[in-house]
Amino acid sequence: MYDLHTHTILSDGELLPTELLRRAAVLGYDTLAITDHADASNLAHLVEAVGRVRDSARCYGVDLLVGVELTHVPPSLIPALARDAKRRGADIVVVHGETVVEPVAPGTNRAACMCEYVDVLAHPGLITVEDAGIAAERGIALEITSRAGHNRTNGHVVRVAREAGCPLTVDSDTHAPSDLMSKDARQGVALGAGLTEAESREILSRDVKRLLQK
């Protein structure tokens, strides 16, 4: 199992990075990305801080992906910050997409989909087929999320991703201990978003390292 979108006390989550890793290990996760909310003020600190718990992740048998979620960053600044995150050693860059429950700046989805340094567009709301097609060309995945509110548009995201041939991930956007999903819960989110059983199996067992190789 994998989760490419989680938060810790380094932003607005409830757990230390190591606590989150331990809980993920107990649930059977193979890969976990820690992607705390980032902008120009804290990006460097987040990449460095999460990188310090790689040894803990190895001890618990979890492949840690050090990452950030660029959040409410002006669209024009996304490329430079995403590049900076990768330059500093981030394994994954997530962008906080245009969810329908927050005032995300218009154009955020497009900027993320056009950026070679972005890996996942989180909760992209009512993303257009055109933007999803751009993401598909660059190997950027769109997120199906279990997060309340953000998940209102999961069905739309699935339909658009199918039409555009864009990869999907199923993530929790974890902030609290109870947010991490079990295997059955992940399947429920996938099927509830309108994916077929075959599609769900493929996406939930995805080789995320291959996904992240642009």
Side-chain angles (χ1 to χ4, degrees):
M1 293 200 297
Y2 68 86
D3 196 322
L4 301 183
H5 186 181
T6 68
H7 300 279
T8 72
I9 62 169
L10 294 174
S11 60
D12 59 347
E14 297 181 7
L15 299 172
L16 284 165
T18 301
E19 290 181 282
L20 179 60
L21 287 163
R22 177 59 185 163
R23 289 175 182 272
V26 170
L27 285 172
Y29 280 81
D30 305 293
T31 303
L32 188 79
I34 294 180
T35 55
D36 278 296
H37 296 292
D39 64 7
S41 70
N42 68 341
L43 184 148
H45 169 69
L46 289 176
V47 174
E48 179 183 359
V50 175
R52 292 174 181 166
V53 300
R54 287 191 188 273
D55 287 344
S56 295
R58 282 191 286 267
C59 288
Y60 288 140
V62 177
D63 187 4
L64 169 64
L65 299 178
V66 175
V68 294
E69 181 187 9
L70 299 180
T71 303
H72 288 279
V73 169
S76 63
L77 301 183
I78 286 173
L81 283 178
R83 179 182 180 182
D84 188 40
K86 289 294 182 76
R87 182 179 64 82
R88 292 179 182 276
D91 301 309
I92 180 172
V93 172
V94 176
V95 171
H96 186 289
E98 294 179 45
T99 172
V100 295
V101 295
E102 291 185 29
V104 180
T108 294
N109 283 354
R110 171 63 64 91
C113 292
M114 294 186 69
C115 182
E116 63 182 305
Y117 301 105
V118 171
D119 301 293
V120 175
L121 178 57
H123 41 70
L126 298 172
I127 186 170
T128 65
V129 174
E130 182 180 1
D131 284 349
I134 295 170
E137 292 174 359
R138 288 162 174 74
I140 297 169
L142 305 183
E143 180 186 77
I144 300 302
T145 179
S146 63
R147 185 77 173 166
H150 295 326
N151 60 8
R152 294 178 187 177
T153 55
N154 277 349
H156 171 81
V157 174
V158 167
R159 289 192 296 273
V160 168
R162 279 198 189 112
E163 184 172 345
C166 192
L168 291 166
T169 67
V170 175
D171 302 317
S172 67
D173 195 357
T174 282
H175 286 70
S178 59
D179 293 338
L180 275 175
M181 291 184 284
S182 66
K183 182 177 181 180
D184 288 343
R186 294 179 80 236
Q187 184 176 27
V189 169
L191 294 174
L195 293 167
T196 66
E197 290 193 10
E199 289 172 329
S200 297
R201 283 194 299 272
E202 179 183 355
I203 291 166
L204 294 175
S205 61
R206 183 183 302 282
D207 181 350
V208 292
K209 286 296 184 68
R210 185 175 181 181
L211 176 68
L212 298 176
Q213 290 176 351
K214 297 300 182 68

